[in-house]
Amino acid sequence: MALLGPTNATVAMAIGYGITSLLGLTLSNRWVFQTGTSVKSVIWKYYATYVFTWLISVLFAHFASGWPLIDSRLIPIISLMITVPTNFLLSKFWVFHKTTLKEVRHYGSQ
């Protein structure tokens, strides 16, 4: 809301999206997946997953809108049901993947 005065809605949304995506990257790295790695080392993978899931969402919406059995109002919900788990799994096993095993860390420190 604070950006709408000095800018237009498109610019305000772009800035808001950029800020919230960086916040999501930082929180996922430090709190959700607790990798402790540098944000710089995972940033390209993080945004690649978002581009990939966005493409899945757009392609699903494009093809599903032509299917007569699916109510068009359900397409965004079904799309989220596909993209949210996909994004989480890619984040967990690719973007924020821990390279060391817990057993090695635990037993290796004795």
Side-chain angles (χ1 to χ4, degrees), residues 1-16:
M1 296 295 265
L3 293 173
L4 279 178
T7 66
N8 62 35
T10 304
V11 172
M13 283 185 60
I15 292 170

Side-chain angles (χ1 to χ4, degrees), residues 60 63-75 78:
F60 174 76
F63 289 113
S65 63
W67 298 336
L69 296 176
I70 296 179
D71 185 348
S72 62
R73 295 173 293 183
L74 296 177
I75 292 173
I78 297 169

